[in-house]
Amino acid sequence: MAGGNHDTMRANWKCLAACILVSMSPFQYGVDFGLIGGIQAMIGFLRVFGYADPELPIGWNITPGRQQLISSLMTLGAVIASGLAGPLAWKAGRKSCIWAACLLCAVSDIIMMTTTSIGALYVGRLLNGLANGLFMTFSQLYIQECSPAKYRGLLLSAFQVFTSVGVLIGTIVDNFTAPLSSKASYLIPLGLIYVIPFFIAIGLFFIPESPRWLMEKGKTEKARKSLLWLRPSKDAVDTELFSIQEAIDEAQANSGKALFFEMFRGQDLRRTMLAVGAVNTQAASGAMFMIAYGTYFFEMAGKPFENSVALTTVGVVAIVVNTCIITRFGRRRVMLITGLILCAITMLIIAAVDTAAPKAESTKKLIVGISVVYIAGYNGMISSYAWVSGGELPSQRLRSYTFGLAASVGFFGAWLATFTAPYFINPAALNWGPKYGYIWVPSCLMAAAFVYFYLPEVKGRTLEEIDEMFTQRLPARKFRHYVCTGRAALESMKRGDNVSENSEKHEHKDGTVETIERVYGDERGVAVVVETAMNVA
């Protein structure tokens, strides 16, 4: 048998290390949100880009228009970069695009740190968004394509950990530099942006390119070397390469050359809609309002930076706890539905208490406390699973196109939230403050309904198994219990990598393991029940 202990974390340490290095990419996205949300409430920043307003607690403010563009141009850049992910991924590969993101990130930071012109600041924010779009999209593609099915959820959860840690570090640094009244108050936080891209750019030299991309480009030997580096079982490499090539050949036989339009035809239309919908559960939750403007919001309410630090810390703890359970439980549907309903309830409470008693000190304390519950629900149940589901569902041939589109639409949703929020919360505009939460309650509930009725459960499935289930046109409710009969499923079963929920394992005293597998469905989609038993030495 080729399996043995090859499915343990220790055995897969090189693959896990490579994916963790790449998963550091969203640290930049998190740092940006953590920093920019706080920078816009700093006197040192407002002296340069804002105006004096003695009626506000801090004595300074920034116009809603500038606030919109400073926060949303980064997200708009991410929309553009993600939208171009398909052709970029096909031509350049995953590693090259992440290197390009590192370079763009450094250039954008130089502009933002050296300028006093609002126009140049806008340019820096847009370039920073392009970098973050490449970071977020191509790091996810790399993880999806290189990680074993058993650890895909864990590694994509680590991806979200780095996002949350970035937000936390950005918020903490803002907390310590905010008392400075000079430009140093925001220049010091911006200096953080250089650190992680430097380590990623160096580390990429020591890890292989995605074997799936190499196979798509016809570089079979390089793909084999990549898999030999990534996988602990050398005997299983050729089998996995064959499965990848088989899936590529089948996809090419059933599609044309206009890959972008293939996303909207046949079964791929369903997969595209599901991927886009899954990623956009993040935007539907209203989290961008809390993340991008949290510090500014607390400051306008008379609350210090410490509240934002506490809020972000809870978010990090929630996502770390989620990382510990995602490989064992990790139900995408359950987590997303629960998280979205929790976010709807907390948003409603925040808006309602502010409507009832907007000036009361108890209202301010309650808003801070409920915000902590909100961010715990969002980070622990939505942020990880939205990206995981959106990345697992596209077909292999169209993965970079479909996931790029999903990420682009997701970033557009985030941009829309960050662009419109100032009109609602800024005292110089509508001045709704916490009442803005009313808008996000129905949004959360509609997203939860979408997940319940349409999003399939694919935890622990290989990418080839997911392809098979979509080919069978299974309704969402049947994905979880369906046992695949294709080559990838059989090879996975032989290796002991993936035993479905319909299987029973019995260990005997002589060291053999008997697996009884109940299979529902065959290659034609005809309902059958097959029981098989395998003895594994």
Side-chain angles (χ1 to χ4, degrees), residues 144 147-150 152 212 240 243 271 392 396 399 458-469 484 487-493 495 497-498:
Q144 291 156 10
S147 59
K150 180 176 181 179
R152 189 169 61 241
R212 291 179 186 271
E240 185 169 352
S243 296
R271 302 178 76 163
E392 290 173 326
Q396 292 192 57
R399 184 169 307 282
V458 293
K459 175 186 178 292
R461 304 286 193 167
T462 66
L463 299 180
E464 289 75 25
E465 287 176 302
I466 295 171
D467 283 344
E468 179 181 334
M469 290 188 288
C484 296
R487 180 186 297 274
L490 296 175
E491 292 297 337
S492 179
M493 194 185 303
R495 295 193 303 268
D497 293 343
N498 183 30

PDB file of all heavy atoms in Angstrom, residues 144 147-150 152 212 240 243 271 392 396 399 458-469 484 487-493 495 497-498:
ATOM      1  N   GLN A 144      -5.134  25.997  -2.985  1.00  0.00           N
ATOM      2  CA  GLN A 144      -6.152  25.069  -3.475  1.00  0.00           C
ATOM      3  C   GLN A 144      -5.540  23.976  -4.341  1.00  0.00           C
ATOM      4  O   GLN A 144      -5.975  22.812  -4.281  1.00  0.00           O
ATOM      5  CB  GLN A 144      -7.204  25.836  -4.277  1.00  0.00           C
ATOM      6  CG  GLN A 144      -8.070  26.758  -3.449  1.00  0.00           C
ATOM      7  CD  GLN A 144      -8.657  27.872  -4.285  1.00  0.00           C
ATOM      8  OE1 GLN A 144      -8.577  27.856  -5.518  1.00  0.00           O
ATOM      9  NE2 GLN A 144      -9.247  28.859  -3.640  1.00  0.00           N
ATOM     10  N   SER A 147      -2.401  21.817  -1.929  1.00  0.00           N
ATOM     11  CA  SER A 147      -2.645  21.164  -0.642  1.00  0.00           C
ATOM     12  C   SER A 147      -3.400  19.853  -0.799  1.00  0.00           C
ATOM     13  O   SER A 147      -4.252  19.721  -1.685  1.00  0.00           O
ATOM     14  CB  SER A 147      -3.437  22.103   0.274  1.00  0.00           C
ATOM     15  OG  SER A 147      -4.678  22.449  -0.318  1.00  0.00           O
ATOM     16  N   PRO A 148      -3.123  18.860   0.058  1.00  0.00           N
ATOM     17  CA  PRO A 148      -3.929  17.635   0.069  1.00  0.00           C
ATOM     18  C   PRO A 148      -5.356  17.968   0.494  1.00  0.00           C
ATOM     19  O   PRO A 148      -5.572  18.917   1.259  1.00  0.00           O
ATOM     20  CB  PRO A 148      -3.229  16.765   1.129  1.00  0.00           C
ATOM     21  CG  PRO A 148      -1.885  17.380   1.326  1.00  0.00           C
ATOM     22  CD  PRO A 148      -2.038  18.831   1.042  1.00  0.00           C
ATOM     23  N   ALA A 149      -6.327  17.197   0.010  1.00  0.00           N
ATOM     24  CA  ALA A 149      -7.738  17.486   0.320  1.00  0.00           C
ATOM     25  C   ALA A 149      -7.983  17.537   1.825  1.00  0.00           C
ATOM     26  O   ALA A 149      -8.751  18.373   2.309  1.00  0.00           O
ATOM     27  CB  ALA A 149      -8.634  16.421  -0.318  1.00  0.00           C
ATOM     28  N   LYS A 150      -7.300  16.668   2.570  1.00  0.00           N
ATOM     29  CA  LYS A 150      -7.529  16.593   4.010  1.00  0.00           C
ATOM     30  C   LYS A 150      -7.159  17.895   4.715  1.00  0.00           C
ATOM     31  O   LYS A 150      -7.779  18.271   5.715  1.00  0.00           O
ATOM     32  CB  LYS A 150      -6.704  15.436   4.598  1.00  0.00           C
ATOM     33  CG  LYS A 150      -6.863  15.270   6.103  1.00  0.00           C
ATOM     34  CD  LYS A 150      -6.088  14.057   6.588  1.00  0.00           C
ATOM     35  CE  LYS A 150      -6.259  13.873   8.100  1.00  0.00           C
ATOM     36  NZ  LYS A 150      -5.535  12.673   8.593  1.00  0.00           N
ATOM     37  N   ARG A 152      -6.791  21.004   3.087  1.00  0.00           N
ATOM     38  CA  ARG A 152      -7.123  22.209   2.328  1.00  0.00           C
ATOM     39  C   ARG A 152      -7.872  23.227   3.193  1.00  0.00           C
ATOM     40  O   ARG A 152      -7.580  24.416   3.183  1.00  0.00           O
ATOM     41  CB  ARG A 152      -7.944  21.844   1.089  1.00  0.00           C
ATOM     42  CG  ARG A 152      -8.142  23.013   0.136  1.00  0.00           C
ATOM     43  CD  ARG A 152      -8.718  22.565  -1.191  1.00  0.00           C
ATOM     44  NE  ARG A 152     -10.017  21.949  -1.029  1.00  0.00           N
ATOM     45  CZ  ARG A 152     -10.306  20.694  -1.358  1.00  0.00           C
ATOM     46  NH1 ARG A 152      -9.383  19.916  -1.869  1.00  0.00           N
ATOM     47  NH2 ARG A 152     -11.515  20.195  -1.172  1.00  0.00           N
ATOM     48  N   ARG A 212      -0.551  21.714 -10.913  1.00  0.00           N
ATOM     49  CA  ARG A 212      -1.713  21.749 -11.809  1.00  0.00           C
ATOM     50  C   ARG A 212      -1.493  22.764 -12.928  1.00  0.00           C
ATOM     51  O   ARG A 212      -1.854  22.518 -14.076  1.00  0.00           O
ATOM     52  CB  ARG A 212      -2.988  22.078 -11.016  1.00  0.00           C
ATOM     53  CG  ARG A 212      -3.399  20.964 -10.088  1.00  0.00           C
ATOM     54  CD  ARG A 212      -4.646  21.296  -9.292  1.00  0.00           C
ATOM     55  NE  ARG A 212      -4.907  20.247  -8.325  1.00  0.00           N
ATOM     56  CZ  ARG A 212      -5.635  19.162  -8.560  1.00  0.00           C
ATOM     57  NH1 ARG A 212      -6.178  18.999  -9.754  1.00  0.00           N
ATOM     58  NH2 ARG A 212      -5.816  18.248  -7.636  1.00  0.00           N
ATOM     59  N   GLU A 240      -1.528  10.731  -9.053  1.00  0.00           N
ATOM     60  CA  GLU A 240      -2.125  12.064  -8.945  1.00  0.00           C
ATOM     61  C   GLU A 240      -1.931  12.852 -10.240  1.00  0.00           C
ATOM     62  O   GLU A 240      -2.838  13.550 -10.690  1.00  0.00           O
ATOM     63  CB  GLU A 240      -1.518  12.829  -7.760  1.00  0.00           C
ATOM     64  CG  GLU A 240      -2.191  14.175  -7.514  1.00  0.00           C
ATOM     65  CD  GLU A 240      -1.780  14.814  -6.206  1.00  0.00           C
ATOM     66  OE1 GLU A 240      -1.077  14.161  -5.400  1.00  0.00           O
ATOM     67  OE2 GLU A 240      -2.154  15.988  -5.987  1.00  0.00           O
ATOM     68  N   SER A 243      -4.465  11.662 -12.684  1.00  0.00           N
ATOM     69  CA  SER A 243      -5.802  12.182 -12.382  1.00  0.00           C
ATOM     70  C   SER A 243      -5.932  13.638 -12.826  1.00  0.00           C
ATOM     71  O   SER A 243      -6.961  14.049 -13.378  1.00  0.00           O
ATOM     72  CB  SER A 243      -6.095  12.075 -10.885  1.00  0.00           C
ATOM     73  OG  SER A 243      -6.122  10.728 -10.471  1.00  0.00           O
ATOM     74  N   ARG A 271     -21.432  26.354 -11.246  1.00  0.00           N
ATOM     75  CA  ARG A 271     -20.235  26.435 -10.406  1.00  0.00           C
ATOM     76  C   ARG A 271     -19.749  27.872 -10.276  1.00  0.00           C
ATOM     77  O   ARG A 271     -19.277  28.293  -9.214  1.00  0.00           O
ATOM     78  CB  ARG A 271     -19.146  25.520 -10.983  1.00  0.00           C
ATOM     79  CG  ARG A 271     -19.598  24.083 -11.080  1.00  0.00           C
ATOM     80  CD  ARG A 271     -18.564  23.154 -11.682  1.00  0.00           C
ATOM     81  NE  ARG A 271     -17.509  22.846 -10.726  1.00  0.00           N
ATOM     82  CZ  ARG A 271     -16.658  21.829 -10.858  1.00  0.00           C
ATOM     83  NH1 ARG A 271     -16.763  21.019 -11.913  1.00  0.00           N
ATOM     84  NH2 ARG A 271     -15.727  21.601  -9.964  1.00  0.00           N
ATOM     85  N   GLU A 392     -13.101  26.041  -3.767  1.00  0.00           N
ATOM     86  CA  GLU A 392     -13.242  24.607  -4.015  1.00  0.00           C
ATOM     87  C   GLU A 392     -14.189  24.296  -5.177  1.00  0.00           C
ATOM     88  O   GLU A 392     -14.071  23.244  -5.804  1.00  0.00           O
ATOM     89  CB  GLU A 392     -13.791  23.925  -2.753  1.00  0.00           C
ATOM     90  CG  GLU A 392     -12.808  23.875  -1.600  1.00  0.00           C
ATOM     91  CD  GLU A 392     -13.457  23.341  -0.337  1.00  0.00           C
ATOM     92  OE1 GLU A 392     -14.657  23.600  -0.122  1.00  0.00           O
ATOM     93  OE2 GLU A 392     -12.758  22.672   0.441  1.00  0.00           O
ATOM     94  N   GLN A 396     -11.610  22.532 -12.725  1.00  0.00           N
ATOM     95  CA  GLN A 396     -10.158  22.654 -12.729  1.00  0.00           C
ATOM     96  C   GLN A 396      -9.658  23.534 -13.876  1.00  0.00           C
ATOM     97  O   GLN A 396      -8.798  24.400 -13.676  1.00  0.00           O
ATOM     98  CB  GLN A 396      -9.522  21.266 -12.819  1.00  0.00           C
ATOM     99  CG  GLN A 396      -9.749  20.441 -11.561  1.00  0.00           C
ATOM    100  CD  GLN A 396      -8.876  19.209 -11.544  1.00  0.00           C
ATOM    101  OE1 GLN A 396      -7.667  19.304 -11.630  1.00  0.00           O
ATOM    102  NE2 GLN A 396      -9.488  18.050 -11.421  1.00  0.00           N
ATOM    103  N   ARG A 399     -10.490  27.175 -13.152  1.00  0.00           N
ATOM    104  CA  ARG A 399     -10.344  27.593 -11.755  1.00  0.00           C
ATOM    105  C   ARG A 399      -9.845  29.032 -11.619  1.00  0.00           C
ATOM    106  O   ARG A 399     -10.402  29.827 -10.864  1.00  0.00           O
ATOM    107  CB  ARG A 399      -9.386  26.646 -11.020  1.00  0.00           C
ATOM    108  CG  ARG A 399      -9.255  26.961  -9.523  1.00  0.00           C
ATOM    109  CD  ARG A 399      -8.527  25.841  -8.798  1.00  0.00           C
ATOM    110  NE  ARG A 399      -9.153  24.565  -9.071  1.00  0.00           N
ATOM    111  CZ  ARG A 399     -10.281  24.149  -8.475  1.00  0.00           C
ATOM    112  NH1 ARG A 399     -10.871  24.922  -7.596  1.00  0.00           N
ATOM    113  NH2 ARG A 399     -10.784  22.983  -8.763  1.00  0.00           N
ATOM    114  N   VAL A 458     -18.633  20.201   0.502  1.00  0.00           N
ATOM    115  CA  VAL A 458     -17.568  19.441  -0.155  1.00  0.00           C
ATOM    116  C   VAL A 458     -16.360  19.248   0.763  1.00  0.00           C
ATOM    117  O   VAL A 458     -15.238  19.079   0.302  1.00  0.00           O
ATOM    118  CB  VAL A 458     -17.131  20.137  -1.471  1.00  0.00           C
ATOM    119  CG1 VAL A 458     -18.244  20.084  -2.499  1.00  0.00           C
ATOM    120  CG2 VAL A 458     -16.706  21.591  -1.223  1.00  0.00           C
ATOM    121  N   LYS A 459     -16.582  19.256   2.057  1.00  0.00           N
ATOM    122  CA  LYS A 459     -15.490  19.060   3.008  1.00  0.00           C
ATOM    123  C   LYS A 459     -14.783  17.728   2.758  1.00  0.00           C
ATOM    124  O   LYS A 459     -15.406  16.689   2.597  1.00  0.00           O
ATOM    125  CB  LYS A 459     -16.018  19.077   4.441  1.00  0.00           C
ATOM    126  CG  LYS A 459     -14.960  18.755   5.493  1.00  0.00           C
ATOM    127  CD  LYS A 459     -15.562  18.654   6.871  1.00  0.00           C
ATOM    128  CE  LYS A 459     -14.505  18.279   7.905  1.00  0.00           C
ATOM    129  NZ  LYS A 459     -13.995  16.912   7.730  1.00  0.00           N
ATOM    130  N   GLY A 460     -13.455  17.769   2.721  1.00  0.00           N
ATOM    131  CA  GLY A 460     -12.656  16.562   2.599  1.00  0.00           C
ATOM    132  C   GLY A 460     -12.621  15.942   1.221  1.00  0.00           C
ATOM    133  O   GLY A 460     -12.016  14.884   1.035  1.00  0.00           O
ATOM    134  N   ARG A 461     -13.233  16.577   0.228  1.00  0.00           N
ATOM    135  CA  ARG A 461     -13.255  16.028  -1.120  1.00  0.00           C
ATOM    136  C   ARG A 461     -12.050  16.503  -1.916  1.00  0.00           C
ATOM    137  O   ARG A 461     -11.615  17.650  -1.778  1.00  0.00           O
ATOM    138  CB  ARG A 461     -14.521  16.477  -1.852  1.00  0.00           C
ATOM    139  CG  ARG A 461     -15.817  16.120  -1.138  1.00  0.00           C
ATOM    140  CD  ARG A 461     -16.122  14.645  -1.246  1.00  0.00           C
ATOM    141  NE  ARG A 461     -17.483  14.362  -0.828  1.00  0.00           N
ATOM    142  CZ  ARG A 461     -18.107  13.215  -1.033  1.00  0.00           C
ATOM    143  NH1 ARG A 461     -17.471  12.234  -1.659  1.00  0.00           N
ATOM    144  NH2 ARG A 461     -19.342  13.031  -0.618  1.00  0.00           N
ATOM    145  N   THR A 462     -11.524  15.629  -2.770  1.00  0.00           N
ATOM    146  CA  THR A 462     -10.487  16.072  -3.695  1.00  0.00           C
ATOM    147  C   THR A 462     -11.144  16.911  -4.782  1.00  0.00           C
ATOM    148  O   THR A 462     -12.359  16.851  -4.999  1.00  0.00           O
ATOM    149  CB  THR A 462      -9.770  14.876  -4.345  1.00  0.00           C
ATOM    150  OG1 THR A 462     -10.703  14.171  -5.182  1.00  0.00           O
ATOM    151  CG2 THR A 462      -9.209  13.934  -3.285  1.00  0.00           C
ATOM    152  N   LEU A 463     -10.341  17.666  -5.492  1.00  0.00           N
ATOM    153  CA  LEU A 463     -10.881  18.508  -6.558  1.00  0.00           C
ATOM    154  C   LEU A 463     -11.500  17.652  -7.660  1.00  0.00           C
ATOM    155  O   LEU A 463     -12.488  18.050  -8.297  1.00  0.00           O
ATOM    156  CB  LEU A 463      -9.785  19.411  -7.125  1.00  0.00           C
ATOM    157  CG  LEU A 463      -9.146  20.383  -6.114  1.00  0.00           C
ATOM    158  CD1 LEU A 463      -8.064  21.221  -6.799  1.00  0.00           C
ATOM    159  CD2 LEU A 463     -10.196  21.294  -5.477  1.00  0.00           C
ATOM    160  N   GLU A 464     -10.927  16.463  -7.898  1.00  0.00           N
ATOM    161  CA  GLU A 464     -11.484  15.571  -8.917  1.00  0.00           C
ATOM    162  C   GLU A 464     -12.835  15.007  -8.480  1.00  0.00           C
ATOM    163  O   GLU A 464     -13.747  14.834  -9.298  1.00  0.00           O
ATOM    164  CB  GLU A 464     -10.505  14.418  -9.207  1.00  0.00           C
ATOM    165  CG  GLU A 464      -9.247  14.830  -9.966  1.00  0.00           C
ATOM    166  CD  GLU A 464      -8.242  15.577  -9.096  1.00  0.00           C
ATOM    167  OE1 GLU A 464      -8.264  15.384  -7.863  1.00  0.00           O
ATOM    168  OE2 GLU A 464      -7.449  16.352  -9.656  1.00  0.00           O
ATOM    169  N   GLU A 465     -12.981  14.714  -7.189  1.00  0.00           N
ATOM    170  CA  GLU A 465     -14.267  14.229  -6.687  1.00  0.00           C
ATOM    171  C   GLU A 465     -15.343  15.306  -6.814  1.00  0.00           C
ATOM    172  O   GLU A 465     -16.498  15.016  -7.139  1.00  0.00           O
ATOM    173  CB  GLU A 465     -14.128  13.786  -5.230  1.00  0.00           C
ATOM    174  CG  GLU A 465     -13.372  12.497  -5.039  1.00  0.00           C
ATOM    175  CD  GLU A 465     -13.188  12.144  -3.574  1.00  0.00           C
ATOM    176  OE1 GLU A 465     -12.605  12.957  -2.824  1.00  0.00           O
ATOM    177  OE2 GLU A 465     -13.642  11.057  -3.168  1.00  0.00           O
ATOM    178  N   ILE A 466     -14.971  16.545  -6.544  1.00  0.00           N
ATOM    179  CA  ILE A 466     -15.928  17.644  -6.691  1.00  0.00           C
ATOM    180  C   ILE A 466     -16.367  17.770  -8.141  1.00  0.00           C
ATOM    181  O   ILE A 466     -17.557  17.985  -8.437  1.00  0.00           O
ATOM    182  CB  ILE A 466     -15.303  18.961  -6.181  1.00  0.00           C
ATOM    183  CG1 ILE A 466     -15.027  18.870  -4.669  1.00  0.00           C
ATOM    184  CG2 ILE A 466     -16.216  20.149  -6.476  1.00  0.00           C
ATOM    185  CD1 ILE A 466     -14.227  20.018  -4.115  1.00  0.00           C
ATOM    186  N   ASP A 467     -15.411  17.609  -9.072  1.00  0.00           N
ATOM    187  CA  ASP A 467     -15.766  17.612 -10.496  1.00  0.00           C
ATOM    188  C   ASP A 467     -16.815  16.533 -10.797  1.00  0.00           C
ATOM    189  O   ASP A 467     -17.792  16.772 -11.516  1.00  0.00           O
ATOM    190  CB  ASP A 467     -14.524  17.359 -11.360  1.00  0.00           C
ATOM    191  CG  ASP A 467     -13.630  18.589 -11.475  1.00  0.00           C
ATOM    192  OD1 ASP A 467     -14.105  19.696 -11.157  1.00  0.00           O
ATOM    193  OD2 ASP A 467     -12.465  18.441 -11.888  1.00  0.00           O
ATOM    194  N   GLU A 468     -16.592  15.350 -10.255  1.00  0.00           N
ATOM    195  CA  GLU A 468     -17.516  14.238 -10.524  1.00  0.00           C
ATOM    196  C   GLU A 468     -18.918  14.544 -10.004  1.00  0.00           C
ATOM    197  O   GLU A 468     -19.926  14.276 -10.683  1.00  0.00           O
ATOM    198  CB  GLU A 468     -17.001  12.959  -9.870  1.00  0.00           C
ATOM    199  CG  GLU A 468     -17.927  11.762 -10.090  1.00  0.00           C
ATOM    200  CD  GLU A 468     -17.432  10.493  -9.407  1.00  0.00           C
ATOM    201  OE1 GLU A 468     -16.208  10.373  -9.192  1.00  0.00           O
ATOM    202  OE2 GLU A 468     -18.279   9.639  -9.095  1.00  0.00           O
ATOM    203  N   MET A 469     -19.018  15.112  -8.805  1.00  0.00           N
ATOM    204  CA  MET A 469     -20.337  15.372  -8.226  1.00  0.00           C
ATOM    205  C   MET A 469     -21.093  16.433  -9.015  1.00  0.00           C
ATOM    206  O   MET A 469     -22.319  16.353  -9.172  1.00  0.00           O
ATOM    207  CB  MET A 469     -20.192  15.763  -6.756  1.00  0.00           C
ATOM    208  CG  MET A 469     -19.768  14.603  -5.867  1.00  0.00           C
ATOM    209  SD  MET A 469     -19.814  14.979  -4.108  1.00  0.00           S
ATOM    210  CE  MET A 469     -18.391  16.073  -3.960  1.00  0.00           C
ATOM    211  N   CYS A 484     -18.227   9.115  -4.253  1.00  0.00           N
ATOM    212  CA  CYS A 484     -17.803   9.110  -5.651  1.00  0.00           C
ATOM    213  C   CYS A 484     -17.295   7.736  -6.081  1.00  0.00           C
ATOM    214  O   CYS A 484     -16.768   6.968  -5.267  1.00  0.00           O
ATOM    215  CB  CYS A 484     -16.708  10.152  -5.870  1.00  0.00           C
ATOM    216  SG  CYS A 484     -17.282  11.843  -5.586  1.00  0.00           S
ATOM    217  N   ARG A 487     -12.125   7.440 -10.736  1.00  0.00           N
ATOM    218  CA  ARG A 487     -10.758   6.989 -10.491  1.00  0.00           C
ATOM    219  C   ARG A 487     -10.124   7.696  -9.296  1.00  0.00           C
ATOM    220  O   ARG A 487      -9.473   7.078  -8.455  1.00  0.00           O
ATOM    221  CB  ARG A 487      -9.903   7.223 -11.736  1.00  0.00           C
ATOM    222  CG  ARG A 487      -8.440   6.787 -11.566  1.00  0.00           C
ATOM    223  CD  ARG A 487      -7.637   7.195 -12.781  1.00  0.00           C
ATOM    224  NE  ARG A 487      -8.133   6.525 -13.972  1.00  0.00           N
ATOM    225  CZ  ARG A 487      -7.751   5.317 -14.360  1.00  0.00           C
ATOM    226  NH1 ARG A 487      -6.876   4.638 -13.640  1.00  0.00           N
ATOM    227  NH2 ARG A 487      -8.236   4.786 -15.450  1.00  0.00           N
ATOM    228  N   ALA A 488     -10.314   9.021  -9.200  1.00  0.00           N
ATOM    229  CA  ALA A 488      -9.699   9.778  -8.109  1.00  0.00           C
ATOM    230  C   ALA A 488     -10.189   9.291  -6.758  1.00  0.00           C
ATOM    231  O   ALA A 488      -9.418   9.159  -5.805  1.00  0.00           O
ATOM    232  CB  ALA A 488      -9.999  11.272  -8.281  1.00  0.00           C
ATOM    233  N   ALA A 489     -11.508   8.997  -6.666  1.00  0.00           N
ATOM    234  CA  ALA A 489     -12.064   8.528  -5.401  1.00  0.00           C
ATOM    235  C   ALA A 489     -11.505   7.165  -5.030  1.00  0.00           C
ATOM    236  O   ALA A 489     -11.176   6.901  -3.869  1.00  0.00           O
ATOM    237  CB  ALA A 489     -13.584   8.482  -5.501  1.00  0.00           C
ATOM    238  N   LEU A 490     -11.390   6.265  -6.017  1.00  0.00           N
ATOM    239  CA  LEU A 490     -10.884   4.924  -5.752  1.00  0.00           C
ATOM    240  C   LEU A 490      -9.422   4.955  -5.328  1.00  0.00           C
ATOM    241  O   LEU A 490      -9.009   4.255  -4.405  1.00  0.00           O
ATOM    242  CB  LEU A 490     -11.076   4.041  -6.987  1.00  0.00           C
ATOM    243  CG  LEU A 490     -12.538   3.781  -7.397  1.00  0.00           C
ATOM    244  CD1 LEU A 490     -12.585   2.987  -8.700  1.00  0.00           C
ATOM    245  CD2 LEU A 490     -13.270   3.040  -6.293  1.00  0.00           C
ATOM    246  N   GLU A 491      -8.618   5.757  -6.019  1.00  0.00           N
ATOM    247  CA  GLU A 491      -7.203   5.863  -5.651  1.00  0.00           C
ATOM    248  C   GLU A 491      -7.058   6.464  -4.256  1.00  0.00           C
ATOM    249  O   GLU A 491      -6.217   6.043  -3.468  1.00  0.00           O
ATOM    250  CB  GLU A 491      -6.454   6.716  -6.681  1.00  0.00           C
ATOM    251  CG  GLU A 491      -6.334   6.080  -8.061  1.00  0.00           C
ATOM    252  CD  GLU A 491      -5.530   4.795  -8.042  1.00  0.00           C
ATOM    253  OE1 GLU A 491      -4.722   4.613  -7.115  1.00  0.00           O
ATOM    254  OE2 GLU A 491      -5.713   3.965  -8.944  1.00  0.00           O
ATOM    255  N   SER A 492      -7.885   7.456  -3.955  1.00  0.00           N
ATOM    256  CA  SER A 492      -7.838   8.073  -2.635  1.00  0.00           C
ATOM    257  C   SER A 492      -8.208   7.060  -1.559  1.00  0.00           C
ATOM    258  O   SER A 492      -7.609   7.011  -0.495  1.00  0.00           O
ATOM    259  CB  SER A 492      -8.801   9.274  -2.588  1.00  0.00           C
ATOM    260  OG  SER A 492      -8.774   9.862  -1.317  1.00  0.00           O
ATOM    261  N   MET A 493      -9.195   6.212  -1.860  1.00  0.00           N
ATOM    262  CA  MET A 493      -9.627   5.195  -0.910  1.00  0.00           C
ATOM    263  C   MET A 493      -8.514   4.175  -0.668  1.00  0.00           C
ATOM    264  O   MET A 493      -8.267   3.744   0.452  1.00  0.00           O
ATOM    265  CB  MET A 493     -10.885   4.500  -1.445  1.00  0.00           C
ATOM    266  CG  MET A 493     -11.629   3.664  -0.415  1.00  0.00           C
ATOM    267  SD  MET A 493     -12.999   2.790  -1.183  1.00  0.00           S
ATOM    268  CE  MET A 493     -13.912   4.172  -1.876  1.00  0.00           C
ATOM    269  N   ARG A 495      -5.347   4.679  -0.886  1.00  0.00           N
ATOM    270  CA  ARG A 495      -4.279   5.282  -0.086  1.00  0.00           C
ATOM    271  C   ARG A 495      -4.708   5.497   1.353  1.00  0.00           C
ATOM    272  O   ARG A 495      -3.878   5.756   2.213  1.00  0.00           O
ATOM    273  CB  ARG A 495      -3.857   6.638  -0.691  1.00  0.00           C
ATOM    274  CG  ARG A 495      -3.226   6.539  -2.054  1.00  0.00           C
ATOM    275  CD  ARG A 495      -2.554   7.852  -2.418  1.00  0.00           C
ATOM    276  NE  ARG A 495      -3.461   8.978  -2.386  1.00  0.00           N
ATOM    277  CZ  ARG A 495      -4.152   9.422  -3.432  1.00  0.00           C
ATOM    278  NH1 ARG A 495      -4.060   8.794  -4.591  1.00  0.00           N
ATOM    279  NH2 ARG A 495      -4.946  10.473  -3.324  1.00  0.00           N
ATOM    280  N   ASP A 497      -6.505   8.021   2.225  1.00  0.00           N
ATOM    281  CA  ASP A 497      -6.499   9.466   2.462  1.00  0.00           C
ATOM    282  C   ASP A 497      -7.873   9.992   2.802  1.00  0.00           C
ATOM    283  O   ASP A 497      -8.014  10.956   3.515  1.00  0.00           O
ATOM    284  CB  ASP A 497      -6.014  10.202   1.200  1.00  0.00           C
ATOM    285  CG  ASP A 497      -4.566   9.904   0.912  1.00  0.00           C
ATOM    286  OD1 ASP A 497      -3.893   9.426   1.829  1.00  0.00           O
ATOM    287  OD2 ASP A 497      -4.132  10.137  -0.226  1.00  0.00           O
ATOM    288  N   ASN A 498      -8.901   9.361   2.262  1.00  0.00           N
ATOM    289  CA  ASN A 498     -10.215   9.960   2.362  1.00  0.00           C
ATOM    290  C   ASN A 498     -11.273   8.871   2.478  1.00  0.00           C
ATOM    291  O   ASN A 498     -11.581   8.204   1.512  1.00  0.00           O
ATOM    292  CB  ASN A 498     -10.503  10.826   1.124  1.00  0.00           C
ATOM    293  CG  ASN A 498     -11.833  11.531   1.227  1.00  0.00           C
ATOM    294  OD1 ASN A 498     -12.285  11.849   2.324  1.00  0.00           O
ATOM    295  ND2 ASN A 498     -12.450  11.776   0.083  1.00  0.00           N
TER     296      ASN A 498
END
